[in-house]
Amino acid sequence: QYDVTLLPTKEVHFTISSTMALRDVLANLATVYQFDIVPSGDKVKFIPKTLSVVRVFTDADLGHTRSDNLSGSAPYAAKRIQGIDLPRSVTLNYYSAALDHNIFTQVSTLETYESGQDVKLEVPFTLTDDEAKRITETALVNAHIEQQEYTFVTDYHNIDLEPGDIITIPLDSGGTTNVRITRIRESDDGLLEFTVVRADYASSSYNGSGVVSPSPVPQQTVADPIGFSQALFLEVPALSDSDTSPRLLVAVHGFGAAGWPGAALYRS
């Protein structure tokens, strides 16, 4: 029912403090380790975003006319996410391996990017501080790379391609760019509409700033020896007319030890 052969083998430790749907756990994994979850035939396939290019398109592959004339004569339609909707910083809360699995935080910021959103991610995974820092940088940079979206119509010669595949397309301004397929829609007249996002991750000029914040070294607390305490249960008459319900009267002592700080008594 699923295919994970393209994912690297990695042991992931996570903590579930409340009821979580498996879908939410997979979504967190996809965000942290940057992979897509897509249908492929009768299976669900897990595909890393950094695969190699599988096909190079030419101008002849783009701009096929559909009967509903969505594409018209243009080779593709381009859409760019507004800068105000992109992250200027990414904060990740995670369980730190160096802090006895307590929650810690890493942050990456685009210092020259003043508009945009401050994004906060919370994941139930145990990570090293360096790994968590790389995750914030990758999530921040990839969001800016993928802000450019293209839609074009091609023919059934490309029916073997699937969402998650990386292809190269020509640009009308000259040159080419690598894109990742996010959606394929089949039409009744034998054409395919591809929706893709920019995917030149390796050649990106974006850089997230901020140093790795090391987790503080856990402090080892050693309790001072305080000797023994003893509780004496007293059976005495009612001390006042307010003693109308059963109660326990207890005298606690520390055998006269110097510096005895007292004791606490708990009833199950």
Side-chain angles (χ1 to χ4, degrees), residues 136-152:
T136 62
E137 292 176 346
T138 301
L140 176 63
V141 170
N142 284 3
H144 284 261
I145 293 173
E146 296 170 2
Q147 68 176 306
Q148 186 69 54
E149 179 183 276
Y150 302 94
T151 302
F152 57 86

Side-chain angles (χ1 to χ4, degrees), residues 22-243:
L22 179 58
R23 180 189 300 271
D24 295 333
V25 176
L26 292 176
N28 282 327
L29 285 168
T31 299
V32 167
Y33 296 108
Q34 293 292 300
F35 61 83
D36 291 323
I37 306 174
V38 300
S40 176
D42 59 348
K43 293 183 178 181
V44 175
K45 185 180 289 187
F46 295 75
I47 305 176
K49 290 186 177 181
T50 54
L51 294 179
S52 300
V53 173
V54 298
R55 186 160 304 164
V56 177
F57 278 47
T58 66
D59 290 324
D61 295 311
L62 308 181
H64 290 254
T65 303
R66 294 180 41 157
S67 58
D68 55 13
N69 199 31
L70 284 182
S71 62
S73 58
Y76 57 78
K79 182 173 70 173
R80 190 176 180 88
I81 298 176
Q82 295 185 88
I84 195 173
D85 295 323
L86 292 170
R88 63 183 176 187
S89 71
V90 172
T91 301
L92 176 68
N93 293 332
Y94 62 100
Y95 292 95
S96 173
L99 198 58
D100 288 342
H101 303 277
N102 284 292
I103 295 178
F104 201 61
T105 300
Q106 297 290 340
V107 182
S108 286
T109 305
L110 291 179
E111 296 291 351
T112 59
Y113 195 76
E114 297 181 357
S115 60
Q117 307 292 320
D118 295 316
V119 177
K120 293 185 178 181
L121 304 175
E122 295 190 16
V123 296
F125 309 130
T126 297
L127 307 167
T128 67
D129 298 330
D130 287 333
E131 185 179 21
K133 178 63 177 179
R134 288 194 300 270
I135 289 168
T136 62
E137 292 176 346
T138 301
L140 176 63
V141 170
N142 284 3
H144 284 261
I145 293 173
E146 296 170 2
Q147 68 176 306
Q148 186 69 54
E149 179 183 276
Y150 302 94
T151 302
F152 57 86
V153 178
T154 186
D155 58 24
Y156 262 45
H157 285 96
N158 298 302
I159 190 62
D160 59 315
L161 296 176
E162 295 180 322
D165 286 339
I166 305 293
I167 61 176
T168 301
I169 63 171
L171 299 175
D172 56 5
S173 59
T176 61
T177 187
N178 293 341
V179 293
R180 191 179 87 257
I181 301 172
T182 58
R183 186 181 65 186
I184 300 176
R185 192 179 75 173
E186 299 182 37
S187 67
D188 296 333
D189 42 6
L191 297 175
L192 303 171
E193 182 184 82
F194 280 29
T195 300
V196 300
V197 294
R198 182 181 162 205
D200 52 343
Y201 304 112
S203 60
S204 168
S205 60
Y206 292 103
N207 290 294
S209 67
V211 298
V212 176
S213 300
S215 299
V217 178
Q219 299 298 314
Q220 300 297 324
T221 302
V222 179
D224 293 329
I226 61 172
F228 297 101
S229 298
Q230 185 180 48
L232 302 176
F233 291 83
L234 308 179
E235 185 178 358
V236 297
L239 299 181
S240 69
D241 56 7
S242 63
D243 292 339

